[in-house]
Amino acid sequence: MADDRLPRDPLLREAAVKAAAPEAPARPFVHLRVHSAYSLLEGALQLGKIIGHAVKDECPAIAVTDTNNLFGALEFAQKAVKDGIQPIIGCQIALAFSGENVDGQRDRRRQGPEMRSVVLIAATEAGYSNLVRLVSRVYLETPPGEAVHLTSEMLEGQADGLICLSGGPRGPIGAALKEDRRDLAETRLSTLKALFGDRLYVELERVSGYDRLIEHSTIDLAYAHELPLVATNEAFFSSRDDYDAHDALIAIAEGSVVAVDNRRRLSPDNFLRSQAEMAALFADLPEAIDNTVEIALRCSYYPKTRSPILPRFTGGDASDKDAAEKAEAAELARQAREGLEARLAAHGPTPGYTVEQYRERLEFELGIIEKMKFPGYFLIVADFIKWAKSQGIPVGPGRGSGAGSLVAYSTTITDIDPLRFSLLFERFLNPDRVSMPDFDIDFCQDRREEVIRYVQQKYGRDQVGQIITFGTLQARAVLRDVGRVLQMPYGQVDKLSKMVPQNPANPVKLADAIANEPRFAEEAEKEPIVQTLLDMAQKLEGLYRHASTHAAGIVIGDRPLSELVPMYRDPRSDMPVTQFNMKYVEQAGLVKFDFLGLKTLTVLETAVKLIRRRGIDIDLATIPLDDPETYAMLSRGEVVGVFQVESAGMRKALIGMRPDCIEDIIALVALYRPGPMENIPTYNARKHGEEEMASIHPKIDHLVKETQGVIVYQEQVMQIAQELSGYSLGEADLCAAPWARRSAPRWTSSVSASSRARSSAAWPSRRPTSSSTC
């Protein structure tokens, strides 16, 4: 109501405002059966929409109960709490009753045990732990080819802290009543009651066309067994208007088409109803509404983030945590010091450095690693890399910021001398910004699995797992999928999908493509079915299509992983997979190790073996970096098959640069990316004396001299911040990353150590921490 229409009298004004305000629901209601997009190709609700509904409807709590998984449990909990909503964590899971006598034994042998879904909700921390273990077991223990499901036997001893909803009309009780088998329904209900006690609720659902006789029989059973009723509305989509798009999603999931009648269909009522709608729908059974709130009040736990958890590499038997950490620190120091002496004996110090400077830097790094409590991480990585090398498995020399660690070089995690290339340890581990170290380890693609098997044997198969990833319905794919289920001509759908720009690095949203491409409107005007396709596709875009595994990520726990996170099994592999993706598995306390399979290492190993047949032995680790013939070949652009520099653009850049030292190759690889590549002509002109090197500032010219006065590497940005502002390198790292990201195209935010980034400055001395801030 506009202010100018309100009465001037304060009492009348207050009354008018109250009258105009929307009425609060007669009875509060909490949704307990909501399917997010993690119910793959079934739920059409992103977690943000679910939480947004609860906020808008002023509901203090809401549950996500995805089908047979807890993929989104931690993500949902974090996002809900952030918006002031109580997250209720649950799972709709198929259940088979052990030892059940079923008519039609022939059908049962063909189809397996009868499975009907119930809902399990974590009420307490013990309940969440049990739910995680149970959901993990259905994937890890269900025989191949059989649908994942629980058995009532598996629930015995694992039901503490769990609330069970009986499944409604499609659950085991409702299904038995529908078959007019009250005795079976009663037996099943008694089994559930014995397992869950007063944590069992008999579920009622009223979508269009529900069977009132079955509902009456269900209520009678509940009262006869003195069990509470609870009202639910299984929600798969946001509003009634989304039904058609969701129906197309179901058709996509089943490989069918929308027009087929004999397939799974839901009701337009399977949306997120408001509290008021649910209170009105169950006005004759207010207790069923009230019990949704009771269940929410009984739920006192949701998953939270944990500090990093690692198995003890050494000192594992020490009951004292501090003693175990000290044992690991001592072991790492021993290995690093011995390793450094071996490296120096084999290669000597880099010109311009003394042995004492190497030892000083090593002790500095060891001090930071011990202070940040990461010795165990270094020991674990060093162990499986040493094993791989001992087995003749090619391992990459190191890349990423981890190559800036002298400890890593000394323990053979990397083979790059960070002082030789002026790499900074603070880029890898910054005591001013505590975060887990992350080594990217390349292994021969053909033998990567051997290293993973070694890790499984060392720490236990149940303590090692891969990380899940989710494929999404992106703009082009969703147009093709929806077009197929709408039975549109393939050529027409193909034409429409190709109107969406292809940019894998930064996928274009369908709405943006439609707004920027007039031909979409033209096609929609010609045929109304095109507009239907576009509307449906936009509603389904971004939903998860399938689950797979991360290409490189492996997690190692200090206990069975199913005690920390829910587990999954990829049908194409026998290795357990975490149900949380990379972002949330780390927040759950697991530490990721990257086991990357690199084809180039396989090619190099094959080449060495073929050359050995001619009686020539080549050690790739000792190949000189100053061979003139090699640089002449690179300058001619003869680089087909050479890793990182074989593209047409790179060949052209090499010819223009005419590299004559490894630093030129390093700079080119760093510069050859969008934005910084504009500086390649400048670099070349200055290198060949065609352009004079401009001074940026007398204090920092020595830092960029090697790169022809062009700021290329993040190390340079850090050193510039240190030189001009008096920052420590830790403070400079905090400043350098955002500064580099915001800078103009002639700057690059970072360069991986695979390109051996370096500056001409010696490793800077550790200055007192400045009181200034970024």
Side-chain angles (χ1 to χ4, degrees), residues 27-30 32 275 288-298:
R27 301 185 105 83
F29 168 81
V30 175
L32 298 173
Q275 294 185 75
I289 294 291
D290 294 343
N291 283 334
T292 66
V293 178
E294 177 185 292
I295 289 173
L297 291 171
R298 295 183 73 172

Side-chain angles (χ1 to χ4, degrees), residues 409-427:
Y409 176 62
S410 301
T411 55
T412 72
I413 292 174
T414 65
D415 292 317
I416 299 167
D417 181 346
L419 274 71
R420 159 71 175 85
F421 294 103
S422 295
L423 297 171
L424 304 179
F425 179 68
E426 286 81 355
R427 269 208 64 200

Side-chain angles (χ1 to χ4, degrees), residues 36-227:
S36 78
Y38 284 111
S39 289
L40 305 180
L41 290 181
E42 181 183 42
L45 286 163
Q46 299 285 14
L47 292 175
K49 281 190 175 182
I50 296 170
I51 297 164
H53 168 85
V55 171
K56 183 179 179 182
D57 199 32
E58 297 183 352
C59 186
I62 196 165
V64 166
T65 53
D66 285 314
T67 305
N68 293 333
N69 73 68
L70 292 168
F71 293 157
L74 183 56
E75 180 183 353
F76 167 60
Q78 289 190 7
K79 291 180 175 179
V81 170
K82 185 178 179 181
D83 283 349
I85 302 298
Q86 176 196 346
I88 300 173
I89 307 300
C91 178
Q92 175 183 302
I93 193 159
L95 175 65
F97 287 83
S98 305
E100 194 173 82
N101 292 321
V102 178
D103 290 341
Q105 291 296 322
R106 183 179 178 185
D107 290 341
R108 182 181 178 183
R109 284 194 298 272
R110 186 177 68 244
Q111 299 175 0
E114 183 181 0
M115 291 173 276
R116 296 287 178 174
S117 292
V118 296
V119 174
L120 301 180
I121 292 173
T124 64
E125 184 173 1
Y128 178 73
S129 297
N130 281 332
L131 184 59
V132 166
R133 279 191 286 267
L134 288 168
V135 173
S136 299
R137 287 184 67 184
V138 302
Y139 286 100
L140 302 180
E141 297 181 14
T142 299
E146 194 170 310
V148 295
H149 66 281
L150 277 179
T151 65
S152 55
E153 187 176 5
M154 291 166 70
L155 283 168
E156 292 175 7
Q158 300 291 318
D160 290 347
L162 289 173
I163 291 172
C164 178
L165 312 186
S166 66
R170 293 176 299 282
I173 313 304
L177 291 173
K178 186 176 181 180
E179 296 171 1
D180 198 24
R181 300 191 60 192
R182 185 183 173 93
D183 55 338
L184 180 60
E186 196 150 9
T187 300
R188 290 175 173 176
L189 193 63
S190 297
T191 300
L192 293 176
K193 184 178 179 181
L195 288 167
F196 295 97
D198 66 351
R199 289 171 282 108
L200 173 64
Y201 289 78
V202 176
E203 186 181 350
L204 303 177
E205 185 180 27
R206 291 176 173 176
V207 297
S208 56
Y210 76 97
D211 193 320
R212 293 176 182 270
L213 291 177
I214 291 178
E215 182 184 273
H216 290 156
S217 298
T218 303
I219 294 171
D220 289 344
L221 267 180
Y223 288 163
H225 288 264
E226 298 181 338
L227 292 169

Side-chain angles (χ1 to χ4, degrees), residues 386-418:
K386 287 176 180 176
W387 181 87
K389 291 177 177 179
S390 72
Q391 301 300 308
I393 299 173
V395 182
R399 62 188 180 90
S401 59
S405 170
L406 186 62
V407 171
Y409 176 62
S410 301
T411 55
T412 72
I413 292 174
T414 65
D415 292 317
I416 299 167
D417 181 346

Side-chain angles (χ1 to χ4, degrees), residues 653-692:
L654 281 168
I655 293 170
M657 178 176 282
R658 301 196 301 276
D660 54 16
C661 61
I662 189 64
E663 284 74 19
D664 285 340
I665 303 297
I666 294 168
L668 181 60
V669 172
L671 286 168
Y672 195 82
R673 62 192 71 195
M677 66 193 314
E678 295 178 8
N679 294 299
I680 294 176
T682 301
Y683 184 101
N684 292 348
R686 293 175 178 178
K687 173 179 170 60
H688 301 310
E690 299 164 4
E691 177 183 314
E692 187 176 346

